[in-house]
Amino acid sequence: MKSYFTKESKILAHNEKVMLYSKLLQSAEEQHGKLLSRIEKVDELMKKAESCLVALETDSDGEQEADCSCEMAEEKTLEQELESLKAEEEELRRELSDLEAENEQMLAEINHLKEKEKSCLELLETYNFTEWEITEWSQQQAVFNFLYDSIELTVMFGPLIDGDVFGENPSRKIVSLNFESLLDEEKAPPSSCLVQRLIFQFIGSQGCWEQRCPMLYYLPQVLRDVSLVVSRCKILGEEIEFLERWGGKYNLLKIDVSDTVVKLLFSASVAFAKFELVLSLSANYPSVLLPFTVHQQIGNIGEEEVSAVLSSVPVGHHYLRRIVSLIHQNLLQNPR
């Protein structure tokens, strides 16, 4: 019985396996058919793709050739533009370098001009020739003062002149110009008296001032000319006052002023010399050489030695002080 059931079980199991394998075989066959169908479709697609690729390659070859030629042309154009830009850049660099050099040169010139301007301003400050002040201006006259109110100029006006102007006002005829000294010579120091005499020497040498200045238009030039002489003579007075105070440093023993003559007495024990230098001054000081004489008193320094020194002193600002300084330096500091 047991063996029977065992056989039956084996038969049933075998039959089930047969049925299962049959189903599996059928399913595999169906899958195989589907796979073959897919393979055929893929083959068709591959063929179509290959034909498309061939067509594309044919088209792309022409396009690539055209693109290549265009790209080469564009590349050549770009290279030319690049070379042109490089050349322009190089040119701009050269121009920039030139501009920087010009800029440095201009800065140097500007600095030089600034220094020159500063020097000119200092000279203008030093040689300020505006020596007059207005104390009165009316329809009838104008009054100007010079040199610390020690000289007065009175200008008398005449009638108006048609068609002529002075500034914004109608010009006038000048009737008279009168210079007057207001200096008290009895109380004034000798240097101030000398300055006054030299200024009035210039005023007297100009002849008729009304002819030089017939109209108001000419008055500024008169004021300038007089101011120039006043300024120079004022500096001379300051030089004499300086030498009177500090002359001992230059072995200058005494200064004597008489009329327009200045006498300088030098004395030096080191040089064993004593002599007097007499200078004749004029309103042209310090623009002309000074006539001089030498009175030898002690030692070997005479007119020849002094003349050699004075010939080396150029005319100009502080002429008298430079004469005294050079005599001291060249003749009085060493034994002779």
Side-chain angles (χ1 to χ4, degrees):
M1 216 39 205
K2 183 178 179 181
S3 60
Y4 175 77
F5 281 110
T6 301
K7 288 182 180 179
E8 285 292 330
S9 297
K10 288 182 178 179
I11 291 170
L12 289 172
H14 177 71
N15 291 333
E16 289 178 357
K17 285 181 180 180
V18 170
M19 290 177 63
L20 178 60
Y21 287 143
S22 296
K23 290 180 179 180
L24 289 173
L25 179 60
Q26 184 180 356
S27 175
E29 288 177 351
E30 290 177 356
Q31 292 293 331
H32 180 67
K34 290 180 180 180
L35 182 60
L36 290 175
S37 177
R38 282 187 176 182
I39 290 172
E40 289 177 357
K41 289 181 179 180
V42 170
D43 288 340
E44 291 178 359
L45 290 173
M46 289 292 293
K47 289 179 181 179
K48 289 181 179 180
E50 287 178 358
S51 62
C52 288
L53 285 173
V54 171
L56 285 173
E57 287 177 357
T58 304
D59 294 338
S60 64
D61 288 340
E63 291 178 357
Q64 284 179 357
E65 290 178 359
D67 291 342
C68 286
S69 61
C70 290
E71 288 177 359
M72 289 178 65
E74 290 178 359
E75 183 178 358
K76 187 175 182 180
T77 303
L78 289 173
E79 287 178 354
Q80 291 176 350
E81 291 180 357
L82 181 60
E83 290 178 358
S84 176
L85 289 173
K86 287 182 178 179
E88 289 180 4
E89 181 184 9
E90 187 66 24
E91 182 66 23
L92 288 173
R93 288 182 183 276
R94 284 196 298 268
E95 291 180 359
L96 180 61
S97 178
D98 293 340
L99 287 174
E100 289 177 350
E102 290 179 4
N103 188 36
E104 291 179 359
Q105 184 178 0
M106 290 180 67
L107 287 175
E109 290 179 359
I110 288 172
N111 291 331
H112 175 69
L113 290 174
K114 285 183 178 179
E115 291 296 326
K116 193 172 182 180
E117 179 189 17
K118 182 180 178 182
S119 176
C120 290
L121 289 174
E122 290 175 353
L123 286 174
L124 286 173
E125 185 67 23
T126 302
Y127 302 105
N128 183 7
F129 300 135
T130 306
E131 297 287 347
W132 52 269
E133 293 182 357
I134 299 177
T135 59
E136 180 184 344
W137 188 285
S138 65
Q139 296 293 329
Q140 291 76 31
Q141 67 178 14
V143 180
F144 302 88
N145 282 345
F146 297 86
L147 196 61
Y148 314 116
D149 299 335
S150 64
I151 298 175
E152 184 177 84
L153 167 62
T154 303
V155 181
M156 301 298 297
F157 298 140
L160 296 174
I161 301 175
D162 294 335
D164 195 8
V165 295
F166 181 73
E168 297 179 354
N169 301 315
S171 184
R172 288 179 174 272
K173 184 178 180 181
I174 290 180
V175 177
S176 66
L177 289 91
N178 182 48
F179 291 91
E180 182 181 359
S181 175
L182 304 179
L183 181 69
D184 187 349
E185 295 191 4
E186 293 182 358
K187 296 181 180 180
S191 58
S192 298
C193 296
L194 170 65
V195 170
Q196 284 274 326
R197 283 191 286 270
L198 293 178
I199 293 172
F200 276 91
Q201 181 188 89
F202 165 77
I203 292 172
S205 68
Q206 299 303 302
C208 181
W209 284 92
E210 288 78 11
Q211 291 181 358
R212 290 192 57 190
C213 186
M215 296 183 296
L216 197 56
Y217 174 81
Y218 297 96
L219 184 58
Q221 183 63 41
V222 169
L223 294 173
R224 181 191 176 280
D225 292 345
V226 176
S227 291
L228 180 60
V229 175
V230 169
S231 176
R232 290 175 175 177
C233 293
K234 182 175 72 173
I235 293 173
L236 171 62
E238 293 171 354
E239 289 182 81
I240 293 174
E241 291 175 2
F242 173 85
L243 293 174
E244 287 175 340
R245 178 176 296 182
W246 304 106
K249 293 183 177 181
Y250 304 98
N251 298 111
L252 183 59
L253 192 63
K254 182 182 178 182
I255 299 178
D256 183 32
V257 178
S258 176
D259 194 27
T260 59
V261 173
V262 175
K263 299 178 181 179
L264 306 174
L265 181 62
F266 292 92
S267 178
S269 58
V270 174
F272 191 67
K274 184 178 182 181
F275 61 92
E276 185 180 60
L277 174 63
V278 181
L279 300 170
S280 298
L281 298 171
S282 70
N284 294 322
Y285 177 90
S287 59
V288 296
L289 296 174
L290 297 178
F292 70 94
T293 57
V294 177
H295 300 153
Q296 184 177 347
Q297 297 182 9
I298 299 175
N300 300 322
I301 298 177
E303 189 161 341
E304 182 179 352
E305 290 76 15
V306 174
S307 178
V309 173
L310 265 60
S311 63
S312 64
V313 182
V315 298
H317 190 59
H318 285 166
Y319 186 27
L320 181 60
R321 282 179 57 176
R322 288 186 287 111
I323 286 175
V324 172
S325 177
L326 205 60
I327 288 175
H328 166 71
Q329 180 180 339
N330 291 0
L331 300 179
L332 302 177
Q333 287 190 315
N334 299 312
R336 300 185 65 84

